[in-house]
Amino acid sequence: MFRGSLRSASLAVVACALALSACATTDGGSSGGDAETPRREARALPAGLDYAANPDPFPSTYEPLPRDNMAIVGATIFTGTDQRIENGVVVITDGRITAIGGANTPVPGGHRVVDARGRFVTPGIIDVHSHLGVYPSPGVTGMSDGNEATSPNTAQVWAEHSIWPQDPGFNTARAGGVTTLQILPGSANLFGGRSVTVRNVPSITMQGMKFPGAPYGVKMACGENPSRVYGNRNQSPATGMGNVAGYRAAFIAAQDYRDKWDRWRETGEGTPPTRNLQHETLAGVLDGSIMVQNHCYRADEMAVMMDIAEEFGFRITAFHHAIEAYKLAPQLAEAGICADMWTGWWGFKMEALDAVEENAALVDAQPGSCAVIHSDDAQLTQRLNQEVAAALAAGRRAGMNITEERAISWITSNAARSLGIADETGSLEPGKRADVVIWSANPFSVYARADQVYIDGALTFDRADPRYQPLSDFELGQPGYGIAAANIAPGAR
């Protein structure tokens, strides 16, 4: 029986692949990262002779699932741009939002009408901090692939090379409205490696999930994790000052590597420098093509990391976990740094003690801020809407007048900004990818459930239709998806 069920699951995956191959071609949109970040211009060289000549040797093969043109009508819409539309209409054509507005918004001929009266519509949820696929269920040692805890600097590794696409956590996240995720390596190291942004679709390969054109990130970690992991091995770093010395030494080496390539490009004399995967990633940080996703809890350590960024001329995209972000919210807003936070997780180690539930609300109150709610957990990713609801309630109790249409941005448009994909997704605006969730009730209600989830306009989950409710043999006997998180190696959180 077990062998037969495995065969059925395998056939289901193959069927998914065949469906993918039969779809329309990808829209080919590219996020391009932060438009204000300067990018180094390199002269054209034969492939393989320049470390930047092939910045993505594992290209996305993602293609949208089969879809049709449609109009979602009658719902209360939170656009992700601080706008609420009652009895609204969302028009989707060829996988893109083509119109959004009130009840009088015309529905083009040939578009299927989806009746969403009495329900709510939001952009697809984006989880900016996930370890799905690299710490999958079942959470066994043989699949604990999220931390390359072999050196304080493992910038050479890429999380996408550990992703197991069959992780059933992707399915359960989709049932919670999650359409896009950033998969990160763990935080045992000063530099844990590259992150990757994926579309939450069934796929046989990692490349079939990879978000086309999304910029890479590099996972950095400050605080207790790297000093605990390596200090226990009687090596550096063993202290906070060892952490900082390690960051600086790595960026000095990356600067030297970049400058050697620049000199060779300019002169063309001799042989090019030998490629170094570790230095390549950090050179990408220096030239602005790779975003810094920085695990950091304490405000004082965030301030030090901002000084390091100033010293070496790069930009920190986001501080993750950021339990003390409320203490320096004005400085984060001024620097354009997102704070990717929990609402109710703290106290599990010293650097996580000084937390307040109003954290996200206090960050959001600053002009130009970027408050984001994330999961870092296979269970919490299924209920990010409720995590936002708790943060919203805490802010209101503290006297802050935060609207629901504003708060939804903490898991949609602000999250997209944190990943450098805000020009492609994260809000319901004409031209954006049609990543859409239809909720049974107000998404900030504990009773709300995602009824339908669309990715690029394709139905990928339907609570009323078993054909759009993927099943996995790896769910058998699992008491809950927290089992993977419970077995995460030291230094992951």
Side-chain angles (χ1 to χ4, degrees), residues 367-454:
S369 66
C370 179
V372 180
I373 298 293
H374 66 16
S375 80
D376 190 24
D377 181 69
Q379 289 191 24
L380 187 58
T381 194
Q382 302 170 40
R383 295 181 292 276
L384 281 173
N385 58 310
Q386 294 179 16
E387 190 79 349
V388 172
L392 171 62
R396 287 176 169 177
R397 286 195 300 270
M400 287 174 272
N401 182 23
I402 309 166
T403 65
E404 293 175 333
E405 52 267 31
R406 173 68 177 176
I408 199 67
S409 69
W410 301 346
I411 49 174
T412 58
S413 53
N414 283 4
R417 173 180 164 185
S418 182
L419 300 185
I421 55 174
D423 57 345
E424 281 290 297
T425 189
S427 58
L428 302 179
E429 299 178 271
K432 297 284 185 76
R433 292 177 179 267
D435 299 338
V436 182
V437 182
I438 302 177
W439 300 88
S440 62
N442 187 316
F444 299 125
S445 165
V446 295
Y447 301 107
R449 299 187 300 178
D451 280 344
Q452 286 87 32
V453 179
Y454 297 89

Side-chain angles (χ1 to χ4, degrees), residues 133-136 143-147 158-165 206:
V134 299
Y135 284 121
M143 303 187 77
S144 180
D145 276 353
N147 255 320
W158 298 20
E160 64 195 69
H161 299 145
S162 280
I163 289 177
W164 183 52
M206 165 277 295

Side-chain angles (χ1 to χ4, degrees), residues 111-128:
H111 280 55
R112 178 171 61 90
V113 174
V114 177
D115 186 352
R117 286 175 295 179
R119 298 189 287 172
F120 283 70
V121 168
T122 70
I125 292 175
I126 300 171
D127 190 352
V128 301

Side-chain angles (χ1 to χ4, degrees), residues 268-348:
E269 297 175 356
T271 57
T274 301
R275 288 185 62 190
N276 180 298
L277 295 178
Q278 188 177 101
H279 296 334
E280 280 186 18
T281 292
L282 298 187
V285 170
L286 295 174
D287 71 20
S289 62
I290 294 178
M291 309 175 86
V292 172
Q293 307 288 350
N294 197 164
H295 160 118
C296 210
Y297 288 79
R298 284 173 20 193
D300 58 309
E301 292 184 331
M302 293 182 221
V304 169
M305 297 306 298
M306 292 166 69
D307 283 345
I308 293 171
E310 182 72 21
E311 177 183 9
F312 291 98
F314 65 87
R315 177 176 173 268
I316 296 170
T317 304
F319 285 120
H320 289 241
H321 309 334
I323 275 177
E324 296 185 12
Y326 66 94
K327 295 182 180 180
L328 73 167
Q331 293 94 323
L332 296 178
E334 183 179 359
I337 299 174
C338 294
D340 299 352
M341 301 162 279
W342 297 296
T343 303
W345 281 20
W346 65 73
F348 43 89

Side-chain angles (χ1 to χ4, degrees), residues 132 135-139 167 169 172 345 376-383 478-488 493:
L132 291 180
Y135 284 121
S137 298
D167 182 357
T172 52
W345 281 20
D376 190 24
D377 181 69
Q379 289 191 24
L380 187 58
T381 194
Q382 302 170 40
R383 295 181 292 276
Q478 297 293 334
Y481 295 101
I483 189 170
N487 288 320
I488 289 177
R493 185 167 296 138

Side-chain angles (χ1 to χ4, degrees), residues 218-230:
V218 64
K219 174 72 171 291
M220 293 179 63
C222 62
E224 294 181 27
N225 283 14
S227 58
R228 181 182 68 250
V229 170
Y230 294 98

